[in-house]
Amino acid sequence: MQELRGIPVVHCLMEKFTQDIEQLSKQGVVPKLAVVRVGNREDDLAYEKGIIKRFSAVSAMVEITAFPVDCSQEMLEDTILSLNEDKSVHGILLFMPLPKNLSGEKLKYMIAQEKDVDCMGLVNTVYVYTGNKNGYPPCTPQAVIELLDYYGIDVTGKKVTIIGRSMVIGKPLSMLLLGKNATVTICHTKTKNLAVECRKADILIACAGVAQMIKENFVHPDQVVIDVGINMDSGKLCGDVDYDAVSNIVKAITPVPGGVGAVTTSVLLKHTIQSAIKSVDQPLYKHKSSPETLV
């Protein structure tokens, strides 16, 4: 069994990022991500800490704008619009979900397309589904692609089964894999004979958000298993795959923690750097901050 760890992927990406940032610095540009956070959720703070660590490792910048949970919709909208116009900001990340008194849907569609580095808005979503390379796919699905590429796992013609149908991971990941000529099946927790369907796959990707749901009867010895799940079970962090039960059977598997999640923050950095490069190469690049730009 080969363990597909995320850290080697991160190191490979970071070498390229260092070169890109050196070139940008010669033009007086420092990639900057603006993070907008409401409240102090533990998962938000943990993710924020990881972002700062990853960005600072290559001298990229992270600007945190934090609001109390009782902030107004207007305050957040004004902040997003201001960040859209700030030429020093190359990426905007709005932590979701927001408190129920706020409209996250409206806010994420206000983010300028070229700064929407985690595919929150409609324009980049359409780009993912139409195969347009000008936008930014969601960071976690792209992290799966980066990991597969690093380990030389060619998906061309392979049967790839994804367990999970969210707009955040499952659906956009299916589009990215189709773009690499995989034969993709999307399953979910309501799929009949789910274990049987999973055993048909050459590559099994679990992103249903159900702790350790993938057992030994879901897999076979020639299979690659990618676990995207992040769950807490009996106070312990785990994935959607029962690692102990599955790892001794399959050909290769990602651990949790230490697998796909380790790569996700690096993809966020990659997209922010790409946006900074575009800001230099295309200084008149227009903001695309609403669905109207698709008309």
Side-chain angles (χ1 to χ4, degrees), residues 7-253:
I7 292 301
V9 187
V10 171
H11 289 162
C12 181
L13 290 171
M14 295 293 273
E15 288 181 11
K16 176 64 165 58
F17 298 160
T18 300
Q19 297 172 16
D20 290 337
I21 288 178
E22 286 177 355
Q23 291 300 314
L24 285 168
S25 67
K26 294 177 182 178
Q27 301 176 72
V29 176
V30 178
K32 182 196 285 189
L33 174 71
V35 173
V36 179
R37 169 169 52 82
V38 178
N40 296 292
R41 287 167 48 106
E42 288 188 9
D43 53 347
D44 286 348
L45 293 172
Y47 188 30
E48 183 180 294
K49 182 179 179 180
I51 291 171
I52 293 172
K53 180 179 179 181
R54 190 58 46 82
F55 275 59
S56 63
V58 291
S59 300
M61 296 178 63
V62 180
E63 177 182 280
I64 307 295
T65 303
F67 291 93
V69 292
D70 60 353
C71 70
S72 68
Q73 180 80 17
E74 184 180 9
M75 290 171 63
L76 287 170
E77 290 179 7
D78 288 346
T79 296
I80 296 296
L81 293 175
S82 177
L83 293 172
N84 282 346
E85 299 301 324
D86 187 341
K87 293 182 179 180
S88 73
V89 171
H90 306 103
I92 301 171
L93 179 64
L94 173 65
F95 282 168
M96 302 280 276
L98 295 175
K100 292 182 179 180
N101 60 305
L102 300 170
S103 173
E105 289 297 306
K106 184 176 181 181
L107 287 164
K108 68 183 185 181
Y109 290 148
M110 293 177 67
I111 299 173
Q113 180 270 324
E114 69 272 22
K115 299 187 180 187
D116 180 20
V117 288
D118 197 18
C119 195
M120 302 188 78
L122 183 58
V123 177
N124 277 327
T125 300
V126 171
Y127 282 170
V128 170
Y129 282 79
T130 57
N132 189 311
K133 303 299 184 182
N134 289 322
Y136 305 104
C139 292
T140 298
Q142 183 61 38
V144 173
I145 300 299
E146 299 284 353
L147 188 143
L148 290 171
D149 287 347
Y150 175 83
Y151 285 103
I153 300 171
D154 185 7
V155 301
T156 301
K158 299 287 182 62
K159 295 178 181 179
V160 182
T161 296
I162 301 172
I163 310 173
R165 51 182 169 175
S166 75
M167 286 296 293
V168 178
I169 302 176
K171 289 179 180 178
L173 178 55
S174 71
M175 293 297 104
L176 297 179
L177 289 164
L178 284 171
K180 294 175 74 66
N181 299 311
T183 300
V184 181
T185 299
I186 298 180
C187 296
H188 45 81
T189 56
K190 303 297 183 183
T191 299
K192 291 184 178 180
N193 301 316
L194 180 58
V196 174
E197 291 297 325
C198 291
R199 285 199 302 273
K200 297 176 182 178
D202 300 306
I203 301 171
L204 178 62
I205 303 176
C207 53
V210 180
Q212 299 184 325
M213 68 174 290
I214 308 303
K215 304 293 185 181
E216 57 267 35
N217 60 321
F218 283 67
V219 300
H220 61 75
D222 294 324
Q223 201 170 57
V224 173
V225 177
I226 308 296
D227 191 353
V228 189
I230 299 290
N231 311 286
M232 292 300 296
D233 186 41
S234 301
K236 183 180 178 181
L237 187 66
C238 67
D240 287 4
V241 178
D242 186 339
Y243 185 90
D244 291 338
V246 169
S247 59
N248 290 326
I249 300 173
V250 299
K251 179 179 178 181
I253 187 171

